[in-house]
Amino acid sequence: MHQLEISDLITAVDPHSGRRLPVRRTEVSQQLRESGDEHAARIVAGLPTDEDGALDPHAVDRLLISVHTELQRLSEELRIGERLVHLLGPLFTAIRSTTGKPGPYRLVDVGCGLGYLVRWLATTNALGADVELVGVDLDATLVGEADRLAHAEGLDCHFIRGNAFDLPEAATVYVSTGVLHHFRGPALAEFFQAQAASPAYAFCHFDIAATRLAPIGPWIFHRARMRNPLGRHDGVVSALRAHSDETLLRTASVPGIRALLYEPRGAVNPFCTTLRPIIGARPQLEAPLRRALGRDARRMVGPEHLAEPTR
């Protein structure tokens, strides 16, 4: 059975107009039951509906903002901003030295949610004044809340509702945190192919590391750290849906992109590893990126890491 995340099912948007579509509670509950997840079906059954049995969009919006606020707290505790800058700093150094072009450069956060990463980068100015910071998400409510928070905090960044790969101005670097496991099968390959087909120089996507500890470890962690039942459920399912090293490296290895995995399985303690990145760079960037990383470049491997030993 394919395990499903509740948050993926309780909102729907017309891909062309961006108009929000009604979602019937009974249909979502049935879909979850058919996947073998009675617990998730009960969570959805407790959500309010309108007279027609569609989930109340305002209640869903409040719920998603609440869950994403808890995710932001976890990102702060796990120091995701610092970990991303540890790679993005050298990556932009490599881009600046290789292209020889002055900025501005453009970082686009795919599936930005409440925009924590973009807002953290804007607060710290960790990447430099020549990097424009943009968050993109398909959920208008989350984008609206991210924009409100950025204005309240007086930050120089902005947020857009839509498809990150259809923006009028292309990214220099695409990033994301906790997004890759949502893409299954051909959709994961299409995600990487869209970036390779764009003018972008690189991408850096942090996602949940697949470890032998799932589901027990994530269950204990989310039970202790998440207050909302939906957040607890989806957090555990996310860990179960995490892509393997092999899947990430092979799928990200598309023409024109050199795929590199940082901290592959076996190189780190699974008890301490939560999120780790897959990096994609134009081939000419790999050498300057490794130079900029210094000794830490040893923690970065390419698809040849997966090659079977010759007999």
Side-chain angles (χ1 to χ4, degrees):
M1 293 286 185
H2 292 294
Q3 293 183 298
L4 305 171
E5 294 180 53
I6 299 171
S7 56
D8 288 342
L9 305 177
I10 58 177
T11 62
V13 176
D14 184 287
H16 303 292
S17 67
R19 181 175 61 88
R20 189 163 186 166
L21 303 174
V23 177
R24 297 190 63 80
R25 185 175 66 183
T26 55
E27 293 176 0
V28 175
S29 295
Q30 182 62 27
Q31 190 174 357
L32 290 164
R33 288 193 177 94
E34 289 174 354
S35 74
D37 196 339
E38 183 63 34
H39 173 58
R42 290 197 298 271
I43 292 175
V44 171
L47 300 180
T49 63
D50 61 20
E51 296 177 352
D52 298 322
L55 289 170
D56 181 346
H58 301 294
V60 168
D61 288 346
R62 289 193 298 271
L63 175 60
L64 291 179
I65 289 176
S66 174
V67 169
H68 277 264
T69 300
E70 290 197 322
L71 290 174
Q72 173 175 304
R73 174 172 50 80
L74 292 182
S75 293
E76 293 169 345
E77 293 175 353
L78 295 172
R79 304 178 70 85
I80 296 302
E82 290 94 330
R83 293 179 62 193
L84 192 62
V85 168
H86 174 69
L87 295 173
L88 286 180
L91 189 53
F92 274 102
T93 296
I95 290 171
R96 291 181 183 105
S97 65
T98 301
T99 63
K101 298 178 181 178
Y105 304 101
R106 200 164 194 246
L107 179 141
V108 172
D109 183 9
V110 184
C112 66
L114 295 183
Y116 166 73
L117 176 62
V118 168
R119 292 188 288 112
W120 188 91
L121 291 171
T123 299
T124 60
N125 195 30
L127 297 179
D130 60 347
V131 178
E132 179 186 6
L133 303 170
V134 181
V136 184
D137 202 291
L138 291 173
D139 191 298
T141 297
L142 295 179
V143 167
E145 182 66 5
D147 197 51
R148 184 190 70 79
L149 291 169
H151 278 92
E153 295 160 357
L155 300 177
D156 184 15
C157 56
H158 63 281
F159 298 91
I160 301 170
R161 192 216 69 80
N163 186 325
F165 309 125
D166 290 338
L167 301 179
E169 297 182 62
T172 307
V173 176
Y174 288 104
V175 300
S176 72
T177 54
V179 168
L180 290 182
H181 66 273
H182 291 279
F183 294 98
R184 317 305 300 177
L188 182 63
E190 292 168 3
F191 178 76
F192 289 120
Q193 289 164 3
Q195 292 165 87
S198 79
Y201 285 98
F203 58 74
C204 182
H205 299 296
F206 273 76
D207 200 29
I208 300 165
T211 74
R212 296 184 301 275
L213 300 178
I216 300 302
W219 184 87
I220 294 172
F221 178 82
H222 286 90
R223 187 75 182 175
R225 305 303 298 132
M226 302 289 280
R227 302 181 186 92
N228 192 288
L230 186 151
R232 290 176 174 176
H233 172 274
D234 281 8
V236 174
V237 172
S238 295
L240 292 171
R241 286 159 57 95
H243 296 297
S244 68
D245 291 6
E246 293 79 6
T247 295
L248 289 175
L249 276 172
R250 289 180 178 138
T251 310
S253 297
V254 295
I257 289 292
R258 168 70 167 158
L260 300 161
L261 187 67
Y262 198 73
E263 297 181 332
R265 187 177 63 245
V268 291
N269 185 338
F271 289 94
C272 300
T273 304
T274 49
L275 299 177
R276 53 79 193 278
I278 182 77
I279 303 165
R282 301 300 176 186
Q284 68 271 23
L285 287 177
E286 182 178 2
L289 171 59
R290 289 186 178 277
R291 286 195 298 270
L293 276 170
R295 292 173 60 87
D296 286 337
R298 296 177 299 178
R299 302 160 71 181
M300 190 167 62
V301 300
E304 62 276 3
H305 174 72
L306 305 176
E308 295 182 0
T310 56
R311 297 182 180 179

